[in-house]
Amino acid sequence: MFAELQMLTPLVPTREVYFVRYCKQLSAEQWAIVDVSIDKVEENIDASLVKCRKRPSGCIIQDKTNGHCKVIWVEHLECQKNTVHTLYRTIVRSGLAFGARHWMATLQHQCERLVFFMATNVPTKDSTGVATLAGRKSILKLAQRMTWSFCHSIGASSYHTWNKVSTKTGEDIRVSSRKNLNDPGEPHGVIVCAVSSVWLPVSPTLLFDFLRDESRRSEWDIMSNGGPVQSIANLAKGKDRGNAVTIQAMKSKENSMWVLQDSCTNAFESMVVFAHVDVTGIQSVITGCDSSNMAILPSGFSILPDGLESRPLVISSRHEKSNDTEGGSLLTVAFQILTNSSPTAKLTMESVESVNTIVSCTLRNIKTSLQCEDGTDGLDTRHVLEGKLDSETLDLKIILDVG
């Protein structure tokens, strides 16, 4: 087997792993799945070029006979030392980024999502704005496809070429482009994606709640033009109230736009993914029509803890401080735009500058709303982005603590 292990940022190299998988039923109630890398998995692969190998890893699944199961997960990787961006060194070296706790949190999240998707007895309060079960399933399916597309577009995959571009405001923005020739799930033509990752002195929980709150959308979304945002539908897809799919209407003097938003959170990471949708098209999906051919181009945010948990934070005056020692956040902002509906068109600098401006303005608006415009408690963010701080995790933590 071959797998690419990605983080939702271009700043962390993808881990490419070749391995064999063995599955065995150990008893009537217990199963094991074991992965391990071996030499010469394929004849045309040079072992010296493989930078990451799986030592015996996997999981043991035990049936608890009450509709639940117990899972024990072991992740044991051997990776060549490579350059990890300063922002992400702590979380990668601690094992949080590619470790068993991450995979377990993701597994729990996906299992819960499936339970809510298949449920036929959803309370009215968990499915407002959608009258039928078929409509609920169609919206949840479209939102899941949107989020998968978002994740695929911003990872540091070997299939994506990211170019660093300079900006007037100093942000570290990476840009990639692709052409969609025949996928009906996306607009046809030339698509540009711009991504920037920053550290913010705000807890991941507070940042996630701020970005998913439709009543505060106008504070950061330049497409809203500061106008009011109205909730059309709200569908729960997990026990945590942050796991939800919403449809929002942004009204301005010129027109009204509808936005499909999928917010996801678990013990490790959170995402807020959204896309502008055709009003007529989304109304048909709400009634239960198939959404597989509905073209959608997602943008959004990925939020991770920074792994440093002993530093006072900047907290918005609109929120009470719940934990003085909770760590800050690693925020990745990604926007995609269709620059030309013709797949044969060439990428222009104007389109690159356009999407860069959206990312820069969004970051600036977020920092302003959360009162952290001046950086990170005395730490110059640009020095972090340029990798000028000491490369050791311990020294980085000391600098952040003192700052």
Side-chain angles (χ1 to χ4, degrees), residues 6 66 75 89 115 117 145 180 249 262 278 336 367:
Q6 300 181 16
N66 60 351
E75 194 67 27
R89 271 184 201 147
V115 168
F117 178 78
R145 173 164 68 86
N180 179 28
D262 186 20
D278 174 68
Q336 299 189 94
K367 291 177 181 179

Side-chain angles (χ1 to χ4, degrees), residues 3-41:
E4 279 192 346
L5 309 179
Q6 300 181 16
M7 289 186 67
L8 295 180
T9 174
L11 300 186
V12 178
T14 299
R15 292 186 173 184
E16 299 181 358
V17 189
Y18 293 90
F19 58 94
V20 294
R21 171 167 290 176
Y22 179 59
C23 306
K24 183 177 182 180
Q25 184 169 358
L26 304 178
S27 66
E29 296 86 22
Q30 202 170 55
W31 298 260
I33 302 172
V34 180
D35 300 335
V36 64
S37 294
I38 60 174
D39 293 331
K40 296 183 179 178
V41 176

Side-chain angles (χ1 to χ4, degrees), residues 88-157:
Y88 288 89
R89 271 184 201 147
T90 299
I91 197 170
V92 170
R93 291 181 178 180
S94 68
L96 285 173
F98 297 102
R101 282 180 290 174
H102 184 182
W103 308 145
M104 190 69 83
T106 303
L107 177 64
Q108 288 176 312
H109 178 81
Q110 292 299 326
C111 288
E112 188 173 284
R113 182 188 65 82
L114 286 173
V115 168
F116 272 71
F117 178 78
M118 299 300 295
T120 57
N121 57 343
V122 182
T124 304
K125 65 181 179 64
D126 291 336
S127 191
T128 60
V130 179
T132 66
L133 194 61
R136 174 184 167 84
K137 286 191 173 184
S138 291
I139 291 294
L140 291 179
K141 193 173 182 180
L142 176 60
Q144 182 67 19
R145 173 164 68 86
M146 177 179 69
T147 298
W148 279 343
S149 174
F150 172 78
C151 294
H152 182 72
S153 66
I154 69 171
S157 168

Side-chain angles (χ1 to χ4, degrees), residues 153-154 160-163 165 173-180 186-195 297-299 334-340 345-359:
S153 66
I154 69 171
H160 285 141
T161 300
W162 292 96
N163 297 306
V165 297
I173 296 179
R174 314 290 169 111
V175 174
S176 69
S177 65
R178 66 184 189 278
K179 295 181 178 181
N180 179 28
E186 284 188 341
H188 289 179
V190 180
I191 298 171
V192 176
C193 180
V195 180
L297 191 58
S299 299
F335 277 86
Q336 299 189 94
I337 63 171
L338 180 70
T339 64
N340 198 304
K346 300 293 184 180
L347 181 65
T348 64
M349 280 307 300
E350 288 79 6
S351 59
V352 172
E353 290 173 0
S354 176
V355 72
N356 285 349
T357 299
I358 295 174
V359 171

Side-chain angles (χ1 to χ4, degrees), residues 18 38-53 80:
Y18 293 90
I38 60 174
D39 293 331
K40 296 183 179 178
V41 176
E42 294 185 17
E43 291 297 329
N44 60 344
I45 297 175
D46 187 347
S48 64
L49 299 178
V50 177
K51 297 181 179 180
C52 190
R53 295 167 55 88
Q80 291 183 16

